[in-house]
Amino acid sequence: MTWSATARGAHQPDNTAFTQQRLPAWQPLLSASIALPLFFCAGLAFIGLGLGLFYSSNGIKELEYDYTGNPGTGNCSACALADQDRAPPLRCSCAWYFSLPELFPGPVYLYYELTNFYQNNRRYSVSRDDTQLSGLPSALRHPANECAPYQRRASGLPIAPCGAIANSLFNDSFSLWHQRQPGGPYVEVPLDRTGIAWWTDCHVKFRNPPLVNGSLALAFHGTAPPPNWPRPVYELSPDPNNTGFINQDFVVWMRTAALPTFRKLYARIRQGNYSTGLPRGSYLVNITYNYPVRAFGGHKLIVFSNISWMGGKNPFLGIAYLVVGSLCILMGFVMLVVYIRYQDQNDEDEEEE
């Protein structure tokens, strides 16, 4: 008896208000006078926020063009003829002409959009080596197994960057030109290609390997580019601060999308005479057509868009708030009717007693 009592006491929690659950507690009893105002207030708040988001989204201007090049859809058709089963001819170019009757307010963002491209496929999304992308020299020579079959070339050279995501890098390019006066010359609009990727991606997740004798090319010596790349990763840009693994276009592409239709930022228009937006006039977009999409039934689009305080155009968020707010108010009225009905019935029962 003594041993069992001692053992039982050793395993008992301390005799405190917290361990013995004697702390004071408050358990609300929700009555109709409390619950109904909460539902109505929440519904009005959601509807107000939804209206703000919806009208803000509708105020965003967008201009888009499908340059996939399906037969009879534009002058990119010639570039798309060889796209069904293989990549289009190298340096195939086409153009998109459009006019703006009034100012397209800034800041203006240029996106490319792809459809029917499943970057969220499980095997595709893990086909990368984050250790290699962080610039570790040992990982540069020994890519992770997740990169297979884009881990090594047939010659045995390691691929840098390895994996299916890097191998499918979007490589179309665009330039924008503005004709200020009818019949006048076209002037190139400066596209700001810097700062289009997340800061944490460029400065934390993606790093180049240490330079060898001051050369990035020597740092990548003994590696091979992905099969679909026409040049190695250290030649992605002539800017030494925007080449290799820290190239902005590459970093943007490596952040995979959650849905099969997605947009990725290509450039911002905010320099010179275009800091306030795109003035009225005629415009020309020169397109270097490289990226094949017709083989998997995809489409390619160019999108010009501005933003608001809530970001880009997204009517779904405002509609979602409106629906939830309306449901709250509807449920409030339903509970109010039920409360009045049963309250009257209770009053009649008390009078009969």
Side-chain angles (χ1 to χ4, degrees):
M1 294 294 293
T2 303
W3 177 86
S4 61
T6 303
R8 186 169 60 252
H11 293 287
Q12 287 181 349
D14 296 335
N15 187 23
T16 63
F18 178 77
T19 57
Q20 297 296 335
Q21 300 184 12
R22 295 195 301 265
L23 290 174
W26 176 67
Q27 182 177 359
L29 299 176
L30 295 179
S31 62
S33 60
I34 297 176
L36 291 177
L38 287 177
F39 268 88
F40 287 120
C41 291
L44 291 175
F46 277 117
I47 289 178
L49 185 58
L51 288 173
L53 292 172
F54 183 76
Y55 284 110
S56 177
S57 176
N58 283 348
I60 296 175
K61 280 192 171 185
E62 283 191 353
L63 182 64
E64 62 180 38
Y65 173 68
D66 187 336
Y67 72 99
T68 307
N70 292 325
T73 59
N75 60 4
C76 289
S77 302
C79 293
L81 289 177
D83 185 13
Q84 187 65 40
D85 299 313
R86 60 183 179 87
L90 188 63
R91 305 296 299 177
C92 184
S93 299
C94 55
W96 169 37
Y97 294 88
F98 65 95
S99 298
L100 294 177
E102 59 183 7
L103 174 70
F104 193 104
V108 181
Y109 293 79
L110 174 58
Y111 300 88
Y112 61 87
E113 179 178 323
L114 297 178
T115 68
N116 204 35
F117 193 115
Y118 288 83
Q119 279 196 316
N120 59 353
N121 179 276
R122 186 185 65 83
R123 293 193 63 184
Y124 179 90
S125 62
V126 301
S127 184
R128 58 189 294 164
D129 187 353
D130 288 322
T131 306
Q132 184 191 66
L133 296 174
S134 66
L136 193 66
S138 60
L140 200 64
R141 269 67 183 182
H142 301 90
N145 293 330
E146 287 79 7
C147 289
Y150 304 105
Q151 184 181 14
R152 294 181 179 274
R153 300 295 288 265
S155 61
L157 287 178
I159 296 176
C162 70
I165 306 177
N167 185 59
S168 60
L169 175 68
F170 184 83
N171 60 347
D172 286 1
S173 59
F174 315 102
S175 62
L176 179 63
W177 301 77
H178 178 209
Q179 186 183 47
R180 299 177 181 176
Q181 300 293 335
Y186 280 92
V187 179
E188 186 171 8
V189 178
L191 300 179
D192 186 1
R193 307 292 311 283
T194 62
I196 60 175
W198 289 23
W199 186 92
T200 52
D201 286 349
C202 291
H203 296 84
V204 179
K205 294 181 63 177
F206 293 81
R207 305 295 298 170
N208 280 327
L211 301 182
V212 176
N213 295 330
S215 171
L216 186 62
L218 292 179
F220 282 97
H221 179 71
T223 65
N228 287 347
W229 286 29
R231 58 184 182 272
V233 66
Y234 52 84
E235 293 181 0
L236 287 180
S237 171
D239 182 1
N241 297 318
N242 187 37
T243 192
F245 290 158
I246 60 173
N247 176 262
Q248 296 274 314
D249 293 322
F250 173 70
V251 173
V252 168
W253 178 258
M254 293 299 291
R255 180 167 284 277
T256 54
L259 300 174
T261 297
F262 58 86
R263 293 177 181 178
K264 291 185 182 290
L265 183 60
Y266 182 82
R268 289 179 289 188
I269 303 173
R270 58 178 184 178
Q271 299 175 346
N273 298 328
Y274 305 92
S275 57
T276 58
L278 295 177
R280 58 180 299 178
S282 299
Y283 288 86
L284 159 67
V285 179
N286 275 328
I287 304 169
T288 303
Y289 194 112
N290 295 315
Y291 203 72
V293 294
R294 293 182 62 195
F296 58 86
H299 286 262
K300 302 188 291 186
L301 294 88
I302 305 173
V303 182
F304 290 95
S305 176
N306 50 26
I307 61 173
S308 67
W309 61 272
M310 61 161 287
K313 194 177 187 67
N314 183 18
F316 171 79
L317 192 59
I319 294 173
Y321 273 100
L322 290 172
V323 171
V324 172
S326 301
L327 289 177
C328 285
I329 292 181
L330 178 62
M331 291 301 299
F333 277 111
V334 170
M335 289 190 293
L336 179 61
V337 171
V338 172
Y339 170 71
I340 294 175
R341 177 181 176 183
Y342 282 95
Q343 182 69 20
D344 293 341
Q345 183 176 348
N346 291 336
D347 293 341
E348 293 176 359
D349 294 340
E350 292 178 356
E351 291 176 358
E352 291 177 358
E353 293 179 358

